[in-house]
Amino acid sequence: MRTRYDDLWGIGELAARAGVTVKTVRFYSDGGLLPEASRSAGGHRRYGSDALDRLRLIRSLRTLGLSVPEVRRVLDEEDATDGLGQALEGAVAERLRELGTEIRSLRWREAALRLVQESTPGERADRLQLIGGLSVPPSTAPLVRFWRGWLPPRMPRRSVDAFLDVAVPQPPDDPAPAQVLAFARLNALTLGPCPGAAQPQPEAHRAVGAQGAAVLYAGLAEAYELAGVQLRRGREPRPGEALDCFVDAYTSAYGVRDGEQFRRGLAGQLATDARIDRYWELVAEVVTEPGRRPEPTPGTAHDWLLAALAAQTGTPPTTAV
């Protein structure tokens, strides 16, 4: 009487029981993933009942998208420890990371296709060129390089990293077509040549040097956060805690005292830069879900504070050339 425990199966019978092809069984056998119990007198492969469990496990792991080397590591660990442990957990975690990237890529491609579909014939050539400059999913590397060139040389790394965390928006995982267009324009803007002087910072920033800039940008980050609260409430630029914090960032960096004269001079030194303003406009489009009120950015907060300072001192800000 045949029993599941006594009998050995040929390769065809094992394949039929597992629901795979003979070629599949042979592939895993030749690769050492599926041990043979013995060979018949004619040299045919024979498998025990445990081979069916092993083959089903292999098939499950492959269905999850694990590579053959990953499957091998999982099976080796199971043989050594009599259980599925860290090798499986690690392989599944890695596959989930890869799958997340693949899903993001598909969502960006879908949104880019919809952008082209929704564009007028006159818009399509320009938008296709913009999209062609993006990787999928998009990289923030051009934006990081843009700001590294803008920041003072030899600025402490911790301060640079803190600034970049605020200044560089992360691409949304599931973008709308408008967000794809905004990020593509942002990418093109940061890749373009910088007009004017080699160092585009306002003189008020350049004068403090690398160490002073670390103090300055830390203070500005706090001021921008306070101004963001006012922007969300729809309030017009005006003196108050946010503006005081903004000015204090400069007095701390310069090592001077606040006062009417200092504020008037600061308002005259801080230039508005059309390119930087455009950067922050596009950032707002990238980080704001379509149909919602634009999210405050460091750029819009800076403009709000600069307008408040100009109104308080009666000194309109200069415009960068």
Side-chain angles (χ1 to χ4, degrees):
M1 178 179 178
R2 293 182 58 161
T3 70
R4 184 171 180 269
Y5 304 100
D6 301 323
D7 291 352
L8 299 178
W9 300 324
I11 190 170
E13 187 174 0
L14 176 61
R17 288 175 178 267
V20 299
T21 65
V22 170
K23 183 179 179 180
T24 297
V25 177
R26 187 175 292 113
F27 173 79
Y28 292 131
S29 291
D30 292 343
L33 298 179
L34 190 64
E36 303 167 12
S38 64
R39 292 262 181 163
S40 68
H44 298 294
R45 307 170 198 249
R46 308 293 290 175
Y47 298 91
S49 58
D50 57 340
L52 179 60
D53 293 333
R54 172 61 67 94
L55 188 54
R56 285 172 173 165
L57 175 58
I58 293 171
R59 188 181 182 187
S60 296
L61 296 174
R62 293 290 285 153
T63 298
L64 292 174
L66 273 63
S67 66
V68 172
E70 288 173 326
V71 170
R72 186 184 302 280
R73 287 194 290 271
V74 171
L75 296 178
D76 287 346
E77 183 180 65
E78 184 193 33
D79 291 339
T81 63
D82 196 27
L84 299 172
Q86 292 183 350
L88 177 59
E89 291 177 7
V92 168
E94 178 61 26
R95 185 60 189 133
L96 283 171
R97 283 191 291 270
E98 294 172 354
L99 193 59
T101 300
E102 293 171 13
I103 291 172
R104 287 186 67 223
S105 296
L106 289 172
R107 286 172 175 166
W108 269 83
R109 287 196 177 99
E110 180 185 22
L113 287 168
R114 292 191 182 280
L115 174 64
V116 175
Q117 185 181 52
E118 295 168 3
S119 301
T120 65
E123 294 171 330
R124 284 175 184 161
D126 178 61
R127 292 184 175 184
L128 283 171
Q129 185 174 3
L130 286 169
I131 292 169
L134 290 177
S135 59
V136 179
S139 170
T140 58
L143 282 63
V144 171
R145 287 195 297 269
F146 172 82
W147 284 113
R148 287 191 183 278
W150 193 89
L151 293 170
R154 298 179 298 280
M155 185 172 164
R157 181 175 178 179
R158 184 190 307 177
S159 300
V160 172
D161 290 343
F163 178 87
L164 293 176
D165 283 343
V166 175
V168 177
Q170 294 303 309
D173 290 337
D174 189 7
Q179 290 173 300
V180 171
L181 179 59
F183 197 90
R185 285 174 170 163
L186 195 58
N187 183 73
L189 177 71
T190 57
L191 289 174
C194 183
Q199 175 51 269
Q201 285 183 306
E203 176 59 30
H205 289 203
R206 293 197 297 271
V208 299
Q211 293 297 326
V215 176
L216 174 61
Y217 292 132
L220 289 178
E222 183 179 353
Y224 294 159
E225 186 174 344
L226 292 171
V229 174
Q230 302 300 316
L231 283 163
R232 289 187 180 92
R233 292 173 178 172
R235 292 179 176 171
E236 294 296 320
R238 59 184 178 179
E241 182 184 10
L243 180 58
D244 290 342
C245 185
F246 181 68
V247 174
D248 184 62
Y250 287 96
T251 58
S252 298
Y254 285 131
V256 300
R257 290 185 177 181
D258 187 11
E260 182 180 347
Q261 184 176 356
F262 176 80
R263 293 196 179 208
R264 187 177 295 111
L266 181 63
Q269 286 182 340
L270 291 177
T272 57
D273 187 321
R275 190 177 194 220
I276 298 298
D277 286 346
R278 180 58 175 155
Y279 178 94
W280 292 118
E281 288 173 4
L282 292 170
V283 167
E285 293 178 32
V286 169
V287 301
T288 303
E289 294 182 18
R292 294 196 174 185
R293 185 174 182 174
E295 283 292 320
T297 67
T300 54
H302 182 86
D303 289 345
W304 189 94
L305 291 162
L306 192 55
L309 180 62
Q312 185 185 58
T313 60
T315 308
T318 59
T319 300
V321 179

